[in-house]
Amino acid sequence: MSDISPLIKRSLVDQALDQLRQRINSGAWQVGERLPTEPELCAELGISRNTVREAMRVLAFSGLIEIRQGDGSYLRAVVDPLDALKALSRCSLDQARETRHILEVEAIGLAALRRTDADLAALREALGTSGSHYHGDLDTFIACDLVFHRRLVDAAHNPTLSELYGYFSSVVGAQLRQTLNIVPRRQEVFDLHIELLEAVEQRDPERAKALSRQLINEP
């Protein structure tokens, strides 16, 4: 019996999550609104306090609610980031390229305006590592290249953009895997990275954005 009880508990938590998400999606609570207390939710949903507490923790982890100790729980968002991740995992190569274009190009334009000397040092380091693997193992290069691109987006100094790009990185990696799976790899593609860093260093947002578009659209 002890081996079965965790499964039963998980099922009850999943049921509680479904009911809470239905209320969020239906607009029963507004963003910023304080949610009912645990005892109130227990009575409303007909489940135990421990199950409600576990479900609320899951919602807090996903970013939908904020639990303030001694104050209560508040609705932070009505869209579950996990749903966005699921959509990203199913997108086509063309959809990935379009989404990357919208997100990365504008972020890099901001990076050219806002980058610091520390950002440039981190970018030079990442590009040097990436360059040393460009003609080697594909997965190793992609991992290094993603570090460079994440640092470019981070140089925009917009935490929201950085967070979104972090979610999107796995899709970017899948796109790179398809477009770079050729031997030998064209040196001119990597050289665009060098030019891109130069544009950011020179605080030239339009050139940086144009080079970013060119990189994303590389076959």
Side-chain angles (χ1 to χ4, degrees):
M1 182 64 69
S2 60
D3 292 336
I4 298 175
S5 58
L7 297 177
I8 295 174
K9 182 182 177 184
R10 184 70 254 164
S11 177
L12 290 172
V13 172
D14 288 340
Q15 290 176 41
L17 281 168
D18 287 343
Q19 293 185 67
L20 290 168
R21 284 194 172 107
Q22 285 174 15
R23 282 161 175 73
I24 292 172
N25 293 335
S26 69
W29 303 312
Q30 301 300 312
V31 172
E33 182 180 344
R34 188 177 186 275
L35 304 184
T37 63
E38 285 182 2
E40 289 170 337
L41 288 171
C42 290
E44 182 180 343
L45 302 178
I47 52 181
S48 72
R49 190 163 182 170
N50 285 340
T51 302
V52 168
R53 184 176 295 123
E54 183 66 23
M56 296 292 276
R57 285 174 180 164
V58 174
L59 293 178
F61 180 77
S62 68
L64 284 173
I65 70 169
E66 177 185 2
I67 299 175
R68 302 176 189 173
Q69 295 300 325
D71 186 19
S73 300
Y74 291 78
L75 187 65
R76 289 187 59 191
V78 295
V79 177
D80 192 331
L82 293 177
D83 292 336
L85 288 177
K86 290 175 184 175
L88 287 176
S89 69
R90 294 191 296 266
C91 72
S92 67
L93 181 61
D94 286 340
Q95 290 167 340
R97 185 180 287 111
E98 288 173 358
T99 306
R100 184 183 176 195
H101 181 279
I102 293 167
L103 181 62
E104 190 171 333
V105 170
E106 294 305 318
I108 287 174
L110 291 174
L113 295 172
R114 299 174 180 173
R115 59 81 178 159
T116 64
D117 289 343
D119 291 326
L120 289 177
L123 284 164
R124 292 190 193 103
E125 177 189 30
L127 189 60
T129 304
S130 176
S132 67
H133 294 286
Y134 183 63
H135 294 291
D137 178 71
L138 178 58
D139 286 336
T140 302
F141 167 71
I142 288 174
C144 295
D145 190 50
L146 286 175
V147 171
F148 174 72
H149 284 274
R150 280 197 296 267
R151 289 184 182 178
L152 275 172
V153 174
D154 288 344
H157 294 279
N158 182 320
T160 302
L161 282 174
S162 293
E163 192 70 23
L164 285 170
Y165 195 75
Y167 281 129
F168 193 58
S169 289
S170 61
V171 180
V172 174
Q175 181 196 345
L176 291 173
R177 190 165 285 103
Q178 292 189 50
T179 57
L180 291 174
N181 194 23
I182 56 172
V183 178
R185 294 179 195 117
R186 293 182 295 131
Q187 182 62 38
E188 58 266 29
V189 174
F190 184 79
D191 291 344
L192 287 173
H193 292 75
I194 300 173
E195 294 181 47
L196 177 55
L197 179 53
E198 290 173 351
V200 170
E201 183 173 4
Q202 294 164 5
R203 299 189 188 278
D204 188 340
E206 294 308 315
R207 181 164 175 258
K209 288 162 70 173
L211 288 165
S212 181
R213 291 188 194 98
Q214 192 173 345
L215 260 176
I216 292 169
N217 291 325
E218 274 293 326

